[in-house]
Amino acid sequence: MSLNLSGNVFSGKIPASLGNLLRLTTLDLSKQKLSGQLPSELSGLPNLQVIALQENLLSGDVHEGFSSLMGLRYLNLSSNSLSGQIPSTYGFLKSLVVLSLSNNHISGLIPPELGNCSDLEILELQSNSLTGHIPADLSRLSHLKVLDLSRNNLSGEIPEEISKCSLLTSLLVDTNHLSGSIPDSLSNLSNLTFLDLSTNNLSGEIPANLTRIASLVYLNVSNNNLEGEIPLLLGSRFNNPSEFSGNPNLCGKPLDRKCVDVAERDRKRRLILLIVVAASGTCLLALCCCFYIFSLMRWRKRLKQGAAGEKKRSPARASSAASGGRGSTDNGGPKLVMFNNKITLAETIEATRQFDEDNVLSRTRYGLVFKACYNDGMVLSIRRLPDGLMDENMFRKEAEFLSKVKHRNLTVLRGYYAGQQQDLRLVVYDYMPNGNLATLLQEASHQDGHVLNWPMRHLIALGIARGLAFLHTSNMVHGDVKPQNVLFDADFEAHLSDFGLDRLTIATPAEASSSTTVGTLGYVSPEAILTGEVSKESDVYSFGIVLLELLTGKRPVMFNEDEDIVKWVKKQLQRGQITELLEPGLLELDPESSEWEEFLLGVKVGLLCTAPDPLDRPTMSDIVFMLEGCRVGPDIPSSADPTSQPSPAQQSETR
C-alpha cells in the first residue's frame, strides 16, 4: 500500500495516526510545508520500504527509530531543518539503497557503521555541519555509486581505501577542510565520472595516473595547496583554468604559469629544433645543387639525341610516374583517427565499396550509416556526416570529447576522419549485427511476439534507461530517443545511438517526413515541439513512449489525432482491461506471477515518464532505480502519478 501526497501545499505536523497504516510500503510527503518533529509512530510500520520527506520544514533530531525498519530501501530527508547527529544504528539497514540527508543542520561525525549498509548505492550528506574524518569503513560499500560529502567541515585525509568502491561514478568532497595528498589509488575507480576535490587544504602534486580514468568527464581541484606541474595529458583533457586555479604553486597548462623546468626544456627544444632546421636546410641545398648539375648534364646529352629517341623515352617516364603515384597513395594516404586501431581512408572507402548504396544500414538526419567490411575480417559502422559542417579543428575537438562518453549501453565513438575537405567527415562505431529495436518489434509482431519474451523486454528497457541516465549525469541530452536509435550487439544487449551528433554537424532533414527539428513525431514531447528545444525532461518523455511501445507492441503512429498511445493505455487501465495492453507474445503471463507485477510496474513507469508537465516526470536515475527494483516490489516516489485513478481490478485488490 502506498501513500503519495507529494507536491501539494500541506502544512502543519505529520499526523501520528499514520502509524496505524501497518500495510504501508511507500510514504511520500515530499515538497510540502510540513513542520515539527517526525512522529515516532512511523518507526512502527513493519512493511515500510520508501520514505520521501524531502523539501519540507521538518525540525528536530534525525529520527533514530527508522533503524528498526529492516526492509527500508529509500530514505530521503534532504532540504529540511533537521539537526543532531546521524544515528549509528542506521548501519542496521542492510537493504538501504538510497540515503539522502543533504541540506540540513546535521552535525557530529559520519558514523563508520554506515559501512554495514551493504546494498547502499547513493549516499548524499552534502551541505550540513559534519566534522571529523571520512570513515575508511565506507570502502566496504561495494555497490556505492554516488558519494556526496561536499560543503561540510570534514578534516583529515581522503582515505586510500575509497578506491575499493569500484562502481563509484561521483565522488564529491569539495568545500571541506581535507588535507594531505590526492590518493594515487583514485585511478582505480574506472567508472568515475565526476571528481570534485576543490576548496580544501590538499597538498602535494596531482597524480599523473588520474588520466587512466577514461570515463572521467569533470575534474575540479581548485582552491587547494597543490604544487608542481599539472600532468600534460590531464591538462590537455581538462583545459578550463578555473578547475586548477587557487593553487599558488601549481603550474603548467591550462594555467598561464609556466614551470621553471618546463621553460628550460622549451628553450632546449627550440635550440635543438633550430640546429635540425639548419642542418636540414644545408642538406636540402646540397641536394638541389646536385640535382641541378645532374639535370644540366642530362639535358646536354638529350640535345645530341634524335627526336625519335625522345618520343620512345617519354611513354616510359609517364608509366613510371603513374606507378609511383599509386604507390604513394596506398602507403602514405590520409588515415582515420582511431583510438584502438590504425585504418586508412582508402581502406575505409574500399570496405564500404565506395560508400555504395547496398552497404547503407540506416538513413538519419545526421547522414548515412554504412557497413564497412575490412580485409582482415573487421566490421565497423561508418557514418558519413552531411555537408555544411564546422571547421576541422572544432570537429576534432568535439569528436575527441564524444569519444570519452563511454557506457555499456551506449554506442561508443571508435574513431573519426576530418580531412581538409569539408565535404567528407566520417565517424566510426562498432557494428551492431542484430539491428535496431524498431525492426525487432516489427519481427515480433509478425511472429506473434514469441521472439521477445518478458525477460528480454525488461532487459532492453533497463539497458536503454541506463544508457540515457548516464548521458544525463554527463550533462548531455539525447534529443531523439526512439526504437530506431536502439541497436543490439551480438549478445542482444541494447545500445543507445545517435547522441551528441549535433555537436559535429548541422542537422539536415534527410530522414522521412516523420522527423521534426527536435526529434521524431510520436516520440517527441509536447513542450519540445512548441519551444523547438530538447531537455532531459523531453528525453524522459520519449523514453516513456518507447517503453509503452515495447510493452504493448503499439506504435505511436497507429493512433489518430484524438488519441495517442498514452491516452489509450490509460483508458485500458481505467476500464480494467489490462489484457488489452499485452503484446501477443506476453499473453501467456500468469496474473498471479511476479512477471505480471513487473509488467504492470513497467506500464506505470511509462505513464510517469509521459506526464504532461515536464516537472512531474521522474529523472532517468529514478527510472533505472524503479526498473532495477521491479523484482522486489516497492514503488519509488514521484510527484506525478498518471495511474492514480485505479482500474476496477486494482480497486478490488485494494479492498
Side-chain angles (χ1 to χ4, degrees):
M1 184 171 63
S2 302
L3 179 59
N4 187 343
L5 301 175
S6 62
N8 290 289
V9 198
F10 293 132
S11 59
K13 297 183 178 181
I14 298 175
S17 57
L18 291 179
N20 298 326
L21 302 177
L22 298 180
R23 297 178 58 190
L24 192 66
T25 59
T26 297
L27 176 62
D28 188 356
L29 303 177
S30 59
K31 301 178 182 179
Q32 316 278 353
K33 295 183 178 180
L34 298 173
S35 58
Q37 299 185 7
L38 294 170
S40 59
E41 287 79 4
L42 294 181
S43 60
L45 297 174
N47 296 310
L48 205 54
Q49 299 181 28
V50 174
I51 300 176
L53 303 175
Q54 68 272 22
E55 298 183 44
N56 278 289
L57 305 172
L58 299 173
S59 58
D61 291 344
V62 181
H63 192 44
E64 186 175 4
F66 289 151
S67 58
S68 64
L69 302 175
M70 304 311 294
L72 193 62
R73 302 186 73 247
Y74 183 98
L75 178 58
N76 193 338
L77 305 177
S78 61
S79 299
N80 280 287
S81 298
L82 298 174
S83 57
Q85 300 185 359
I86 302 173
S88 60
T89 52
Y90 277 10
F92 295 137
L93 299 174
K94 299 296 180 66
S95 300
L96 197 62
V97 176
V98 176
L99 176 59
S100 181
L101 304 175
S102 57
N103 294 296
N104 279 288
H105 307 300
I106 303 171
S107 58
L109 306 177
I110 299 176
E113 289 82 1
L114 290 180
N116 297 326
C117 300
S118 54
D119 286 345
L120 197 62
E121 294 181 6
I122 298 177
L123 178 58
E124 296 176 334
L125 305 177
Q126 72 270 24
S127 299
N128 280 291
S129 301
L130 297 171
T131 57
H133 295 186
I134 299 175
D137 301 75
L138 297 182
S139 63
R140 293 190 279 114
L141 300 175
S142 58
H143 295 93
L144 192 63
K145 296 179 180 178
V146 176
L147 178 59
D148 192 346
L149 307 177
S150 57
R151 296 186 293 280
N152 278 287
N153 296 316
L154 299 173
S155 58
E157 298 184 356
I158 301 173
E160 291 270 354
E161 297 86 348
I162 203 69
S163 63
K164 295 179 182 178
C165 300
S166 58
L167 299 181
L168 205 60
T169 59
S170 295
L171 177 58
L172 311 174
V173 294
D174 57 286
T175 319
N176 280 286
H177 305 296
L178 299 175
S179 58
S181 59
I182 300 175
D184 289 334
S185 60
L186 292 183
S187 63
N188 296 327
L189 297 173
S190 57
N191 295 304
L192 197 62
T193 305
F194 297 94
L195 177 60
D196 195 343
L197 309 176
S198 62
T199 317
N200 280 288
N201 298 317
L202 299 174
S203 57
E205 297 184 351
I206 301 175
N209 57 10
L210 290 182
T211 57
R212 288 164 39 191
I213 310 177
S215 59
L216 196 63
V217 297
Y218 179 80
L219 171 67
N220 195 337
V221 295
S222 61
N223 299 310
N224 280 285
N225 296 317
L226 299 172
E227 59 186 17
E229 182 181 359
I230 299 172
L232 293 176
L233 292 178
L234 204 63
S236 60
R237 183 171 164 187
F238 302 96
N239 54 11
N240 187 350
S242 65
E243 297 172 350
F244 299 91
S245 63
N247 293 281
N249 297 319
L250 202 59
C251 58
K253 292 184 177 181
L255 297 177
D256 291 331
R257 289 190 301 273
K258 281 193 173 183
C259 302
V260 176
D261 55 337
V262 173
E264 181 66 19
R265 187 167 65 242
D266 287 346
R267 189 184 67 81
K268 291 182 179 179
R269 283 180 179 174
R270 286 195 295 269
L271 181 60
I272 294 173
L273 182 62
L274 182 62
I275 294 173
V276 170
V277 170
S280 300
T282 303
C283 294
L284 183 61
L285 181 61
L287 286 174
C288 290
C289 292
C290 293
F291 178 76
Y292 174 75
I293 296 171
F294 176 74
S295 300
L296 182 62
M297 294 177 64
R298 289 194 65 185
W299 179 71
R300 293 182 63 184
K301 182 177 180 181
R302 285 175 183 171
L303 288 177
K304 299 176 183 179
Q305 296 175 348
E310 177 67 20
K311 290 180 181 179
K312 290 180 182 179
R313 284 187 293 272
S314 181
R317 290 197 303 272
S319 174
S320 174
S323 175
R326 283 194 301 271
S328 64
T329 301
D330 292 341
N331 296 328
K335 294 180 175 58
L336 275 71
V337 177
M338 297 294 292
F339 304 113
N340 294 317
N341 310 83
K342 291 185 178 180
I343 300 174
T344 65
L345 178 62
E347 290 172 338
T348 300
I349 294 176
E350 179 184 357
T352 59
R353 294 191 294 181
Q354 309 256 343
F355 298 109
D356 189 87
E357 187 76 15
D358 293 338
N359 279 41
V360 173
L361 295 174
S362 64
R363 305 169 187 271
T364 73
R365 71 179 69 233
Y366 297 111
L368 302 181
V369 180
F370 295 87
K371 181 179 180 181
C373 302
Y374 294 85
N375 292 332
D376 59 358
M378 180 173 59
V379 182
L380 295 171
S381 292
I382 308 293
R383 182 186 295 274
R384 183 171 184 174
L385 298 172
D387 298 339
L389 311 171
M390 61 185 67
D391 65 80
E392 181 180 349
N393 291 333
M394 183 61 69
F395 180 87
R396 291 179 183 276
K397 182 178 179 181
E398 296 295 346
E400 293 284 347
F401 171 81
L402 286 179
S403 71
K404 297 179 175 65
V405 182
K406 295 180 180 179
H407 188 272
R408 65 180 296 170
N409 295 114
L410 297 176
T411 54
V412 179
L413 183 66
R414 298 300 184 189
Y416 64 90
Y417 174 76
Q420 294 181 351
Q421 308 149 336
Q422 289 196 353
D423 60 346
L424 185 59
R425 294 284 192 270
L426 307 176
V427 284
V428 184
Y429 295 91
D430 291 330
Y431 173 65
M432 298 290 163
N434 283 313
N436 60 52
L437 180 58
T439 304
L440 195 63
L441 290 175
Q442 186 177 10
E443 292 175 354
S445 65
H446 292 161
Q447 301 178 22
D448 294 331
H450 293 304
V451 72
L452 270 180
N453 57 22
W454 169 248
M456 288 184 65
R457 292 174 195 262
H458 175 256
L459 286 177
I460 291 171
L462 190 54
I464 302 171
R466 285 170 173 165
L468 193 54
F470 181 82
L471 281 182
H472 287 183
T473 58
S474 303
N475 290 322
M476 294 182 64
V477 176
H478 189 286
D480 195 14
V481 179
K482 58 183 179 180
Q484 289 85 348
N485 288 339
V486 179
L487 309 181
F488 297 100
D489 60 18
D491 298 322
F492 269 100
E493 184 166 19
H495 298 259
L496 195 57
S497 68
D498 280 38
F499 61 88
L501 294 178
D502 55 334
R503 305 173 70 102
L504 300 176
T505 179
I506 302 173
T508 57
E511 218 175 1
S513 59
S514 62
S515 292
T516 68
T517 57
V518 290
T520 302
L521 286 177
Y523 300 94
V524 65
S525 66
E527 75 274 5
I529 295 177
L530 290 175
T531 63
E533 296 180 357
V534 292
S535 62
K536 294 179 182 179
E537 290 77 14
S538 63
D539 274 354
V540 172
Y541 181 93
S542 301
F543 171 80
I545 298 295
V546 172
L547 180 58
L548 293 178
E549 181 177 353
L550 178 63
L551 297 179
T552 66
K554 304 290 185 183
R555 298 179 59 197
V557 295
M558 296 171 59
F559 300 92
N560 54 38
E561 294 182 358
D562 298 328
E563 185 178 46
D564 54 29
I565 188 171
V566 178
K567 293 179 181 177
W568 179 79
V569 169
K570 288 182 179 180
K571 183 188 299 182
Q572 307 310 315
L573 287 174
Q574 290 167 357
R575 292 176 177 175
Q577 298 174 343
I578 298 178
T579 54
E580 294 294 323
L581 300 176
L582 295 173
E583 240 270 343
L586 300 178
L587 287 174
E588 297 179 357
L589 286 180
D590 183 2
E592 301 298 327
S593 67
S594 60
E595 290 187 343
W596 178 271
E597 296 180 3
E598 293 168 9
F599 173 81
L600 291 179
L601 179 60
V603 172
K604 183 173 182 179
V605 171
L607 294 179
L608 286 171
C609 294
T610 53
D613 189 345
L615 298 178
D616 288 339
R617 298 168 195 160
T619 66
M620 286 310 304
S621 297
D622 289 337
I623 294 166
V624 171
F625 183 75
M626 286 188 272
L627 293 177
E628 286 178 340
C630 73
R631 296 184 178 273
V632 295
D635 294 331
I636 301 304
S638 174
S639 57
D641 190 350
T643 60
S644 58
Q645 297 230 352
S647 67
Q650 291 170 320
Q651 287 174 339
S652 61
E653 181 180 346
T654 304
R655 297 192 190 101

